[in-house]
Amino acid sequence: MRVVFMGTPAFAVPSLEALHEHHEVVAVVTMPDRVSGRGGELRPCEVKVAAETRGLTVLHPTTLRGEVADHIRALRPDVICVAAFGMLLPPVVLEIPPHGCINVHASLLPRYRGAAPVQRVILDAEPETGVSIMRMEEGLDTGPYALQVRVPVGERYAAELEAELARVGAEALVTVLAKLPDVRWEVQDESGATYAPKVSKNDVALTPELSIASAYARVRAATHRAPARACVSERELTVVRAHPTEADVAPGGACIVSGMPVLGFTGGALVLDVVRPAGRGDMPGDAWARGAHIAEGVCWRCTR
């Protein structure tokens, strides 16, 4: 089957790899290279790197209309497969492939439509999530789905959960393509639809009044662009990894327990396993604590 694949971040790479193994990928469409790092260098996305490694043709347009749509049409794809592409497909593209445009979405639709389903299920303390293989239409993640696979959330961090969903989604995508055109598409129940907007810094900021469950969820849902931050002893700090503890620390209190920094929340406390001080890289919590010299009785607060 001739496939045009559209995807951008690491989540989409397993789907590209699976398609390359089982089908003829005639082109890969990604978002343009973006400035990254302090040096302001242009860096390719993960999908572009994976595609070029495999010798695949890569397109990175700023729009899917006009000449780009004509180019895709000229490739005569049987299907367009999408995973975390980052751009809505216009009708002129949706109508190109005879088998439609099929998307790997990281949620159990109709719940958590939108940009950040992985982070939102963690913040909402959902026990499980999953992937949906859906046929795209003009609405945002509103099309019917052919297959859903459930995945437990547990206490996984966003990156860990996303990697598992990417793997499961790639397998599910290949399964659905193997059954085309004899696939049964299930219409989504609009009454159960929810939306998962991008996670902001405020969504994952740490504050003393948070319950311990909410604080732990914010740490696990945080990303590099939206980190879980706090200000401890007037030092701004990103909490990269942590775990709950039974240590008796009042909300807003900070102390050292067995060499590890501990922050108090409502109903419990968090041990800071890995932290990122302002302007520095990740380091073990105990290493940071030795240099920070946290005095007994010190308080912490949310960052300004």
Side-chain angles (χ1 to χ4, degrees), residues 9-78:
F11 174 82
V13 172
S15 291
L16 172 60
E17 293 173 339
L19 290 171
H20 182 55
E21 181 179 351
H22 295 279
H23 299 278
E24 180 186 2
V25 180
V26 295
V28 175
V29 186
T30 77
M31 297 293 284
D33 297 351
R34 293 185 176 180
V35 174
S36 179
R38 295 183 179 180
E41 297 180 0
L42 284 175
R43 295 187 181 181
C45 66
E46 291 87 346
V47 164
K48 181 178 179 179
V49 172
E52 291 183 338
T53 299
R54 291 160 177 77
L56 300 173
T57 299
V58 178
L59 310 174
H60 35 79
T62 57
T63 177
L64 293 177
R65 293 177 170 83
E67 293 182 2
V68 175
D70 293 339
H71 187 174
I72 294 173
R73 185 179 296 104
L75 293 171
R76 296 181 294 104
D78 298 302

Side-chain angles (χ1 to χ4, degrees), residues 106-117:
S107 82
L108 298 174
L109 294 170
R111 292 180 58 77
Y112 296 101
R113 295 172 177 172

